[in-house]
Amino acid sequence: MSKLQLKIKDHNNNFVVLNNIRNLRFTLHNDREEIRDIFSFGWRKVLDCAGSRHITIKINGILDSVLADELLRNSAMLNSNNDYEISFNAKEKIRLRCSVELYERYYDPAAFDSFTVILASAEVVNTFH
């Protein structure tokens, strides 16, 4: 069974792990750029020059780490970029550098410390690891 995790790199270059992810949504953005002479490139180069591929990720879950809450909150307030990793299972991972576009924390006792975060890639995303 795969286990979805969000990992946030802290100030000591260690990952803080959030395990209780309820759902995750990817939105891919591709801003097209003009390529003048595709015949002078190989096919990989043409794909690499096809546009600036950016990702927006919306994650909902239950917050199980005080440190993760602090990292997400500070990143949102300071508008800083951090390193994140999303693990779908032991072999499938995505590593990217993102800013926090939105961070919502619900303090309702019935919501069990639920949160929503929207991460926007700060760099062009070319490959998934």
Side-chain angles (χ1 to χ4, degrees), residues 78-92:
L78 297 173
N79 197 25
S80 62
N81 296 326
N82 287 340
D83 293 322
Y84 295 88
E85 182 179 294
I86 299 171
S87 299
F88 296 97
N89 54 42
K91 294 181 182 180
E92 192 175 1

Side-chain angles (χ1 to χ4, degrees), residues 65-81:
S65 168
V66 175
L67 183 55
D69 176 44
E70 181 183 329
L71 290 169
L72 289 169
R73 188 177 59 240
N74 288 342
S75 183
M77 294 181 86
L78 297 173
N79 197 25
S80 62
N81 296 326

Side-chain angles (χ1 to χ4, degrees), residues 7 10 18 35 76 86 106-107 111 113-114 121:
K7 299 177 183 179
D10 66 7
L18 286 171
I35 302 172
I86 299 171
Y106 311 107
Y107 292 99
D113 287 335
S114 295
S121 62

Side-chain angles (χ1 to χ4, degrees), residues 6 12 22 26 32 46 58 61 64-65 82 116 118 126:
L6 172 65
N12 298 324
R22 299 277 176 158
F26 283 97
R32 300 209 43 107
V46 170
K58 181 177 181 181
D64 59 357
S65 168
N82 287 340
T116 298
I118 297 177
N126 289 316

Side-chain angles (χ1 to χ4, degrees), residues 7-123:
K7 299 177 183 179
I8 308 162
K9 192 173 275 190
D10 66 7
H11 305 295
N12 298 324
N13 286 329
N14 298 318
F15 280 110
V16 176
V17 180
L18 286 171
N19 290 306
N20 297 320
I21 304 301
R22 299 277 176 158
N23 59 47
L24 182 140
R25 183 181 74 188
F26 283 97
T27 305
L28 304 174
H29 307 279
N30 189 4
D31 299 327
R32 300 209 43 107
E33 297 172 359
E34 185 178 340
I35 302 172
R36 297 180 194 266
D37 184 13
I38 63 170
F39 298 108
S40 63
F41 296 122
W43 68 272
R44 286 185 189 268
K45 185 68 173 170
V46 170
L47 288 177
D48 287 341
C49 294
S52 301
R53 292 167 297 279
H54 294 272
I55 296 176
T56 303
I57 303 167
K58 181 177 181 181
I59 301 170
N60 296 312
I62 297 173
L63 199 61
D64 59 357
S65 168
V66 175
L67 183 55
D69 176 44
E70 181 183 329
L71 290 169
L72 289 169
R73 188 177 59 240
N74 288 342
S75 183
M77 294 181 86
L78 297 173
N79 197 25
S80 62
N81 296 326
N82 287 340
D83 293 322
Y84 295 88
E85 182 179 294
I86 299 171
S87 299
F88 296 97
N89 54 42
K91 294 181 182 180
E92 192 175 1
K93 298 177 184 179
I94 300 171
R95 289 187 179 161
L96 58 161
R97 189 155 181 80
C98 294
S99 63
V100 176
E101 198 170 279
L102 171 78
Y103 181 55
E104 295 179 335
R105 172 92 187 273
Y106 311 107
Y107 292 99
D108 180 8
F112 302 109
D113 287 335
S114 295
F115 75 96
T116 298
V117 64
I118 297 177
L119 303 172
S121 62
E123 299 172 352

Side-chain angles (χ1 to χ4, degrees), residues 1-3 88-89:
M1 178 179 219
S2 67
K3 187 171 186 179
F88 296 97
N89 54 42

